[in-house]
């Protein structure tokens, strides 16, 4: 695999979607969950999508349940939750596995291509999780819900951001705006 465009995924309502349909757009790929302390990031993701959509930007949400069971819902329940609570209109995909032995090939590609996430200044989220007894086995693994991959118009990964780098964080906004130029 040479870019994100080589993958085909199922949308949250079960329709096959080639990621090549997003060619030429800047993408923010995010593993999401409905019962996480970071779930309010849905609001910021939707706000970023609304702000930059006209410049060929999209957020792609991938629900995952690998982190303390914080995404137990069905695809239909997840979609209803996102719409009702956060007005989500950006593309959402079916629930997938983002780490471990059954890791989806898309996330295997993402984590192997960009093994390290940029951290929020002055705040090491991995250390916070360790304080709760949560440790990741492999350094390349997705750390937690709401980890983000910024993809350029060419389908290549520009950067990976830690889960606590919120959609309105200046570091992420600067990276998005730079990619859109």
């Amino acid at each position: 695999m040479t870019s994100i465009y080589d993958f085909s995924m199922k949308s949250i309502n079960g329709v096959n979607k080639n990621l090549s349909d997003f060619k030429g757009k800047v993408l923010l790929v995010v593993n999401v969950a409905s019962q996480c302390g970071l779930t309010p990031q849905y609001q910021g993701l939707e706000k970023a999508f609304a702000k930059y959509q006209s410049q060929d930007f999209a957020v792609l949400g991938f629900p995952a349940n690998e982190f303390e069971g914080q995404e137990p819902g069905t695809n239909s329940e997840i979609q209803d939750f996102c719409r009702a609570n956060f007005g989500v209109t950006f593309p959402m995909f079916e629930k997938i596995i983002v780490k471990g032995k059954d890791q989806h090939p898309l996330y295997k590609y993402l984590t192997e291509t960009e093994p390290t996430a940029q951290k929020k200044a002055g705040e090491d989220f991995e250390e916070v999780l360790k304080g709760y007894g949560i440790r990741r086995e492999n350094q390349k693994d997705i750390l937690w819900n709401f980890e983000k991959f910024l993809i350029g118009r060419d389908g290549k990964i520009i950067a990976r951001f830690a889960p606590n780098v919120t959609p309105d964080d200046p570091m992420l906004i600067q990276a998005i705006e730079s990619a859109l130029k």
Side-chain angles (χ1 to χ4, degrees):
M1 301 289 174
T2 57
S3 85
I4 195 170
Y5 301 140
D6 296 330
F7 294 91
S8 179
M9 306 295 293
K10 280 195 188 292
S11 71
I12 201 155
N13 34 2
V15 176
N16 283 329
K17 182 98 173 131
N18 292 321
L19 295 186
S20 61
D21 293 348
F22 294 99
K23 259 187 183 157
K25 292 182 184 259
V26 172
L27 305 173
L28 191 63
V29 174
V30 188
N31 60 297
V32 295
S34 334
Q35 297 179 11
C36 175
L38 301 177
T39 299
Q41 285 192 32
Y42 268 123
Q43 186 172 11
L45 292 169
E46 180 61 28
K47 193 181 261 186
F49 177 60
K51 180 176 181 178
Y52 299 113
Q53 183 180 12
S54 66
Q55 297 175 56
D56 289 326
F57 172 78
V59 174
L60 307 182
F62 291 91
N65 195 36
E66 284 75 65
F67 306 99
E68 303 292 311
Q70 294 181 347
E71 187 50 273
T74 65
N75 289 321
S76 178
E77 289 168 340
I78 294 165
Q79 185 176 32
D80 291 346
F81 172 85
C82 291
R83 285 188 181 151
N85 293 285
F86 299 102
V88 167
T89 62
F90 58 80
M92 291 283 292
F93 292 83
E94 71 177 1
K95 189 160 44 169
I96 61 170
I97 296 172
V98 299
K99 72 171 191 163
K101 71 177 185 68
D102 294 324
Q103 182 182 41
H104 191 281
L106 171 64
Y107 267 80
K108 184 173 177 53
Y109 165 77
L110 291 171
T111 57
E112 287 182 356
T113 305
E114 190 63 48
T116 308
Q118 294 182 32
K119 297 176 181 176
K120 187 173 180 75
E123 195 177 322
D124 188 340
F125 194 66
E126 188 156 13
E127 288 302 314
V128 172
L129 290 175
K130 284 179 184 174
Y132 291 100
I134 299 167
R135 299 181 188 280
R136 68 175 153 185
E137 294 172 28
N138 182 331
Q139 222 26 61
K140 291 189 289 189
D141 281 348
I142 296 295
L143 177 60
W144 202 251
N145 303 306
F146 293 90
E147 194 148 322
K148 299 153 194 78
F149 290 86
L150 183 64
I151 313 295
R153 293 183 191 278
D154 60 359
K156 305 260 196 249
I157 302 169
I158 294 172
R160 176 176 173 178
F161 297 92
N164 62 329
V165 175
T166 58
D168 61 352
D169 186 291
M171 175 173 55
L172 181 56
I173 289 173
Q174 182 180 22
I176 291 169
E177 290 180 348
S178 177
L180 288 170
K181 288 182 182 168

